[in-house]
């Protein structure tokens, strides 16, 4: 007998141990998220996947599905909160989509479109953040980092290298590199590492790849992110080499 | 170096008239005029009051981002910046020779840009003056007025521009601010279906472009005295030409000639443009004043753009445009060649050339080839020069070993025309304003001279129908004596 829970009134089957977001994705239902990735342990930091679980709010990526559970996701109030969270991510960093090579392949941008975000709404922080271009093949563009820790998890859990970490607290939190100088060139990171391609924004990019994928052939050019499930199982977005 | 009417020797007690903003141009500028009690003109300046700063804030950016980033300088001819930057980066990535597919796609994109920009300028921005009269009712002297008086002309103008933008969309991915050109080549080709779709309209586009040349040619013929003399001055000319001397808007060597048509330099390698062109700074404008080094600041200023290109080239490599070039040069013994309004004529000849060139390229199967990008030995500096719709455009970048831009120098077309535009407005002030009481129509003559150069002062909006021109007449103490408004009263 398959166990199920209700998500926005729909019966969703699940296997024991699955989180709400995993079960929903398996059933083809999209719950907005940025720090979640099916290959890596849940992080629960972006809060975009917050759902209403029987009257209390919780992250769909960290809460396990349970028999008979009633979950609400697509409500006006939750999507308004998600939109505000996304707006805050935009103003906390320096996200210039018009000149960003990740545009069209960027989950942050795609989620913003999905949620109907028309403006940043909040005043921009315009933080001063460093670019690390020292590595021959990988560029670290901290202006676009949303601190999702996917690169931290990928480097640690998939690559076994521990190249990345988050340093500082609160608004001073930043992506740091595990080397004496703090520069990427002095790590053993490789462009073929999982950490080099897992970033949902353009914070970690392959050098000299740039705008090789034409407009019209990018992931989200024609389709909303909600229709792109299962999302991050995809590797090597787009085509072409730098 | 100061030119006549640039700086009044005794500005005290002179009246100051300001035209701000100059309308129906790309970007934001103003004109100031100093007059004495008898309305005699003592000083005229075209000020460019925008500050952009692109050269500074691309420092530190990865070089492959530059063609997409710097095109945001402009919403009218972003393709020019996109391609000039790409050409500079071709050098940096060691792409000495692009694949035929890549080069032809870039050329097509560029001709689409030239077509749409020239159509925009002639029909939307300049035709209200030319067709309705320099001093016509200000409320009607706009594209809406043209649409009412000559609906077919306005319609064709709009559709010509649309066609050029479609060419850009197919090659760059978007009508404005696309991504098609990348260092070493392009990121997409054109399918046979896309080419067939665009070819279906090209006969009409060529026919309408011929008609446009006819419109301005007839205006010259019917009003020869006015059109030949309006704001007229002599100057040096600068532009790219192909190795065989032909007009080439995408690539070539630098050619400069003086007012008598004598060669100053020819087929100069633009990788060393700084040996031929220097820039002077003046305290009253954000725009520099470039000059030909060999001639110095006083005699070295020059014109760029359609007039300079059509006047300087040995021939145009498309048949219909070449016939028009011959007629243009022969008109009244060459009288159109130094006339600011001759820019309009040359611009329409170039639009016809662009339409013919587009047809030629669309028929070429190389456009559907699959070999898009080449790379070679990496370098740390590169210069890209292209003939943008408004004239010679220079992009110069240096990068570091980590792929970051460390410095950039951009000489945009309008900068090269800075002194020429100032000269034109001073001539018009002498011809039309000196000693007369000012009216809105008379002041528009100043703007007509500026518009002939199709200046891109960059990124201002155009308040269609509102004509946001305000002119204040101040007395010697700074009090407002008179105030004129165009359109809506503030």
């Amino acid at each position: 007998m398959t166990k199920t829970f209700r998500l926005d009134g729909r019966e969703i089957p699940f296997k024991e141990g699955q989180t709400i977001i995993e079960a929903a994705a398996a059933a083809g239902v999209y719950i907005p998220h940025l720090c979640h990735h099916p290959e890596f342990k849940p992080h629960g930091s972006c809060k975009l996947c917050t759902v209403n679980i029987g009257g209390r709010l919780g992250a769909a990526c960290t809460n396990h599905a349970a028999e008979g559970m009633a979950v609400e996701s697509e409500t006006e109030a939750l999507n308004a909160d998600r939109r505000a969270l996304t707006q805050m991510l935009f103003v906390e960093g320096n996200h210039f989509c018009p000149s960003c090579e990740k545009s069209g392949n960027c989950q942050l941008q795609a989620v913003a479109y999905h949620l109907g975000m028309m403006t940043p709404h909040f005043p921009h922080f315009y933080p001063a953040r460093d670019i690390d271009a020292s590595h021959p093949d990988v560029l670290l563009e901290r202006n676009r980092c949303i601190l999702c820790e996917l690169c931290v998890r990928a480097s640690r859990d998939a690559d076994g290298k521990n190249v990345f970490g988050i340093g500082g607290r609160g608004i001073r939190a930043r992506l740091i590199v595990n080397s004496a100088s703090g520069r990427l060139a002095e790590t053993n990171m490789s462009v073929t590492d999982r950490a080099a391609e897992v970033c949902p924004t353009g914070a970690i990019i392959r050098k000299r790849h740039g705008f090789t994928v034409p407009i019209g052939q990018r992931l989200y050019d024609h389709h909303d992110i909600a229709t792109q499930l299962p999302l991050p199982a995809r590797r090597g977005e787009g085509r072409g080499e730098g | 170096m100061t030119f006549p009417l640039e700086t009044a020797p005794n500005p005290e007690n002179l009246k100051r008239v300001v035209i701000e903003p100059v309308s129906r141009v790309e970007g934001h500028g103003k004109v100031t005029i100093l007059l004495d009690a008898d309305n005699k003109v003592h000083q005229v300046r075209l000020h460019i009051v925008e500050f952009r700063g692109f050269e500074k804030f691309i420092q530190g950016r990865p070089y492959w981002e530059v063609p997409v980033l710097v095109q945001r300088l402009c919403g009218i001819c972003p393709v020019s910046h996109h391609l000039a930057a790409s050409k500079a980066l071709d050098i940096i990535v060691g792409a000495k020779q692009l694949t035929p597919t890549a080069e032809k796609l870039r050329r097509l994109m560029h001709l689409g840009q030239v077509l749409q920009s020239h159509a925009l300028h002639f029909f939307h921005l300049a035709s209200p003056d030319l067709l309705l009269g320099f001093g016509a009712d200000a409320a009607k002297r706009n594209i809406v007025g043209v649409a009412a008086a000559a609906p077919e002309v306005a319609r064709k103008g709009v559709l010509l521009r649309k066609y050029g933008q479609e060419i850009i969309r197919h090659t760059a991915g978007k009508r404005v601010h696309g991504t098609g050109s990348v260092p070493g080549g392009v990121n997409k080709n054109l399918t046979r279906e896309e080419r067939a779709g665009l070819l279906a309209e090209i006969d009409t586009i060529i026919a309408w472009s011929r008609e446009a040349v006819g419109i301005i040619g007839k205006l010259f013929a019917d009003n020869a005295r006015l059109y030949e003399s309006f704001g007229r001055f002599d100057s040096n000319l600068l532009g790219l030409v192909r190795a065989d001397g032909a007009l080439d808007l995408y690539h070539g060597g630098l050619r400069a000639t003086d007012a008598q048509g004598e060669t100053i330099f020819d087929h100069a390698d633009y990788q060393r443009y700084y040996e031929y062109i220097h820039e002077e700074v003046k305290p009253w404008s954000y725009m520099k004043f470039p000059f030909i080094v060999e001639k110095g600041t006083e005699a070295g200023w020059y014109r760029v753009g359609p007039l300079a290109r059509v006047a300087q080239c040995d021939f145009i490599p498309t048949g219909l445009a070449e016939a028009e070039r011959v007629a243009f040069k022969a008109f009244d013994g060459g009288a159109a060649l130094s006339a600011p309004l001759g820019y309009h004529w040359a611009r329409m000849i170039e639009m016809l050339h662009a339409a013919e060139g587009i047809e030629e390229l669309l028929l070429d199967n190389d456009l559907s080839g699959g070999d898009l990008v080449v790379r070679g030995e990496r370098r740390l500096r590169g210069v890209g020069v292209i003939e943008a719709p408004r004239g010679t455009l220079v992009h110069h970048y240096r990068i570091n070993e980590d792929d970051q831009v460390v410095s950039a120098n951009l000489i945009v077309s309008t900068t090269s025309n800075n002194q020429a535009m100032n000269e034109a407005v001073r001539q018009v002030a002498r011809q039309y304003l000196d000693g007369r009481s000012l009216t809105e129509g008379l002041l528009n003559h100043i703007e007509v001279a500026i518009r002939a150069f199709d200046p891109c002062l960059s990124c201002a909006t155009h308040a269609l129908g509102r004509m946001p021109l305000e002119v204040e007449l101040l007395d010697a103490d700074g009090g407002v004596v008179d105030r004129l408004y165009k359109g809506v009263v503030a």
Side-chain angles (χ1 to χ4, degrees):
Chain A
M1 182 72 184
T2 308
K3 292 180 180 178
T4 64
F5 68 99
R6 292 184 75 78
L7 176 59
D8 293 328
R10 179 177 161 184
E11 289 294 332
I12 304 289
F14 70 93
K15 294 176 189 158
E16 203 60 46
Q18 266 188 323
T19 59
I20 294 169
I21 204 168
E22 285 168 342
V29 178
Y30 173 72
I31 298 174
H33 60 271
L34 285 167
C35 72
H36 165 70
H37 192 299
E39 291 178 37
F40 301 108
K41 288 178 184 170
H43 194 246
S45 63
C46 78
K47 302 300 179 194
L48 241 62
C49 72
T50 298
V51 289
N52 189 322
I53 310 165
R56 68 178 177 82
L57 298 179
C61 70
T62 56
N63 280 274
H64 287 92
E67 179 77 42
M69 176 187 267
V71 178
E72 288 183 334
S73 176
E74 283 301 311
T75 70
E76 201 172 310
L78 283 170
N79 277 331
D81 287 345
R82 289 168 180 152
R83 196 157 47 242
L85 286 167
T86 309
Q87 287 168 322
M88 289 184 219
L89 288 174
F90 268 89
V91 301
E92 280 179 11
N94 296 307
H95 298 277
F96 303 117
C97 299
S99 58
C100 178
E101 63 195 85
K102 191 79 173 190
S103 194
N105 286 322
C106 172
Q107 288 183 40
L108 177 65
Q109 184 190 53
V111 164
Y113 277 127
H114 172 79
L115 294 170
M117 180 187 136
M118 303 303 287
T119 71
H121 181 73
F122 301 107
H124 281 280
F125 284 28
Y126 295 122
R129 294 189 186 167
D130 294 332
I131 295 176
D132 183 344
S134 63
H135 193 283
D137 301 314
V138 179
L139 180 77
L140 187 54
E141 212 320 2
R142 290 188 175 88
N143 289 294
R144 302 169 184 157
C145 179
I146 57 171
L147 303 174
C148 68
E149 288 204 17
L150 269 171
C151 57
V152 179
R153 287 176 275 166
S155 183
R156 181 189 63 214
D157 303 338
D159 305 326
K161 292 185 177 177
N162 272 320
V163 168
F164 297 107
I166 302 295
R169 291 191 175 276
I171 199 63
R172 292 185 186 82
R174 67 199 185 283
L175 186 63
I176 56 173
V177 171
N178 185 14
S179 71
S181 65
R183 283 155 51 91
L184 203 55
E186 286 160 37
T187 69
N188 58 348
M189 181 163 185
S190 157
V191 71
T192 57
D193 285 356
R194 194 75 185 95
E197 58 180 292
V198 76
C199 180
T201 73
I204 300 174
I205 52 176
R206 250 192 305 158
K207 276 189 164 186
R208 299 175 292 280
H209 179 57
F211 295 85
T212 315
V213 181
I215 294 168
Q217 294 180 27
R218 303 172 305 184
L219 273 180
Y220 307 116
D221 276 339
H222 303 297
H223 302 290
D224 189 283
I225 192 170
T227 67
Q228 301 273 327
L229 288 168
L231 220 175
R234 193 179 300 109
R235 294 178 67 123
E237 294 164 346
R239 65 168 172 80
E241 291 296 316
Chain B
M1 173 62 210
T2 298
F3 294 89
L5 286 193
E6 180 183 326
T7 301
N10 301 297
E12 309 78 22
N13 301 321
L14 293 177
K15 293 180 293 191
R16 181 168 180 263
V17 176
V18 183
I19 303 174
E20 184 181 20
V22 175
S23 64
R24 282 190 277 130
V25 295
E26 314 302 342
H28 197 115
K30 70 175 180 180
V31 174
T32 58
I33 308 167
L34 295 187
L35 305 163
D36 64 18
D38 299 322
N39 285 337
K40 190 164 174 49
V41 177
H42 287 259
Q43 177 179 304
V44 185
R45 289 174 174 175
L46 168 62
H47 307 253
I48 309 306
V49 293
E50 293 184 57
F51 181 74
R52 304 286 284 157
F54 270 72
E55 286 146 310
K56 182 66 186 171
F57 64 67
I58 65 166
Q59 289 176 9
R61 300 308 307 168
Y63 72 78
W64 55 86
E65 202 176 81
V66 169
V68 172
L69 201 163
V70 293
Q71 65 176 336
R72 295 274 166 178
L73 269 163
C74 185
I76 300 297
C77 65
V79 168
S80 309
H81 292 290
H82 188 50
L83 293 179
S86 296
K87 288 181 75 178
L89 294 169
D90 291 343
I91 304 292
I92 283 173
V93 301
K96 286 182 184 165
Q97 178 65 52
L98 299 189
T99 67
T101 298
E103 172 156 344
K104 287 172 184 176
L105 280 159
R106 281 196 191 172
R107 283 180 175 274
L108 179 65
M109 190 193 301
H110 188 46
L111 291 179
Q113 163 71 76
V114 171
L115 182 80
Q116 74 88 10
S117 178
H118 280 3
L120 168 76
H121 181 261
F122 185 72
F123 292 98
H124 296 66
L125 305 182
S127 79
D129 301 319
L130 305 179
L131 298 181
L132 306 178
F134 299 178
D137 179 0
K140 293 178 182 165
R141 205 177 53 223
N142 51 50
I143 185 63
V144 178
V146 172
E152 271 304 287
V153 171
R155 188 178 75 87
K156 289 172 183 173
V158 169
L159 293 176
L160 276 165
R161 178 163 192 237
K162 183 185 174 195
Y163 184 81
Q165 287 177 307
E166 280 301 294
I167 295 282
I168 295 170
R169 182 173 71 81
H170 281 278
T171 48
K174 285 164 69 186
R175 289 181 187 84
V176 183
H177 299 142
T179 64
S181 181
V182 297
V186 295
N187 67 13
K188 74 184 285 285
N189 65 6
L190 237 61
T191 64
R192 289 173 187 274
E193 293 71 31
E194 286 177 294
R195 287 161 53 202
L198 291 165
L199 275 170
E201 292 179 64
I202 195 64
D203 286 347
T204 306
I205 297 302
I206 291 173
W208 288 353
S209 298
R210 286 187 84 180
E211 286 178 23
V213 182
I215 290 172
I216 184 66
K218 185 171 186 313
L219 282 165
F220 258 86
D222 292 348
N223 310 280
R225 197 160 159 266
L226 170 67
Y227 273 65
E228 289 172 10
S229 65
F230 185 81
R232 182 188 188 87
F233 60 90
D234 291 324
S235 76
N236 306 306
L237 305 175
L238 178 81
L240 289 180
V241 289
R242 207 165 71 180
D244 60 359
L247 176 75
D248 192 330
L249 301 172
Y250 178 75
H251 192 66
L254 289 168
R255 171 180 285 182
T257 51
D258 66 18
Q260 286 71 47
E262 297 297 321
T263 301
I264 303 170
F265 52 79
D266 203 3
H267 301 296
D269 178 4
Y270 64 64
Q271 292 301 321
R272 300 196 314 275
Y273 73 94
Y274 43 81
E275 293 176 9
Y276 303 94
I277 305 293
H278 284 181
E279 297 173 283
E280 186 187 17
V281 175
K282 300 200 179 194
W284 51 269
S285 178
Y286 277 127
M287 196 153 72
K288 293 176 184 173
F289 288 80
F291 61 94
I292 294 165
V293 177
E294 187 183 323
K295 294 235 162 199
T297 54
E298 187 174 353
W301 58 277
Y302 55 90
R303 273 185 275 200
V304 297
L307 185 90
R309 292 188 293 243
V310 174
Q312 274 205 129
C313 71
D314 298 332
F315 66 99
I316 296 178
T318 55
L320 296 174
E322 169 60 7
E324 297 293 351
R325 182 193 71 89
V326 171
F328 169 71
K329 288 197 81 164
F331 180 79
D332 203 3
L337 296 172
S338 294
L341 294 177
Y343 264 93
H344 295 299
W345 195 345
R347 191 171 290 121
M348 291 302 94
I349 294 171
E350 284 192 342
M351 185 168 79
L352 176 58
H353 165 63
E356 291 181 281
I358 286 168
E359 180 182 37
E360 204 173 284
L361 284 166
L362 286 173
L363 291 168
D364 192 328
N365 286 332
D366 279 346
L367 284 192
S368 302
D371 203 0
L372 303 182
V373 177
V374 290
R375 293 281 163 87
E377 189 187 342
R378 173 69 176 282
R379 293 172 187 216
L380 294 177
R381 71 172 283 280
V383 177
V385 175
I386 198 165
E387 283 296 329
R390 289 152 188 83
T392 314
L393 172 65
V394 179
H395 280 221
H396 180 184
Y397 302 102
R398 285 198 305 118
I399 67 165
N400 63 20
E401 296 287 353
D402 289 338
D403 301 320
Q404 294 171 286
V405 175
V406 292
S407 71
N409 186 35
L410 313 180
I411 305 179
V412 301
S413 323
T414 298
T415 308
S416 288
N417 275 334
N418 196 0
Q419 179 59 31
M421 289 189 295
N422 271 283
E423 197 59 33
V425 297
R426 282 169 199 148
Q427 284 288 45
V428 169
R430 287 186 192 103
Q431 289 172 328
Y432 293 91
L433 270 51
D434 222 16
R436 300 172 70 173
S437 54
L438 298 184
T439 63
E440 189 280 338
L442 272 182
L443 287 174
N444 186 53
H445 284 60
I446 294 276
E447 295 188 77
V448 169
I450 298 167
R451 283 184 204 120
F453 293 86
D454 188 13
C456 182
L457 313 181
S458 200
C459 291
T461 54
H462 301 282
L464 190 70
R466 292 168 65 94
M467 306 284 284
L469 172 64
E470 177 185 342
V471 180
E472 283 185 348
L473 189 58
L474 309 178
D475 63 20
D477 300 322
V480 177
V481 176
D482 198 3
R483 179 178 280 146
L484 283 174
Y485 295 100
K486 251 192 209 171
V488 178
V489 175

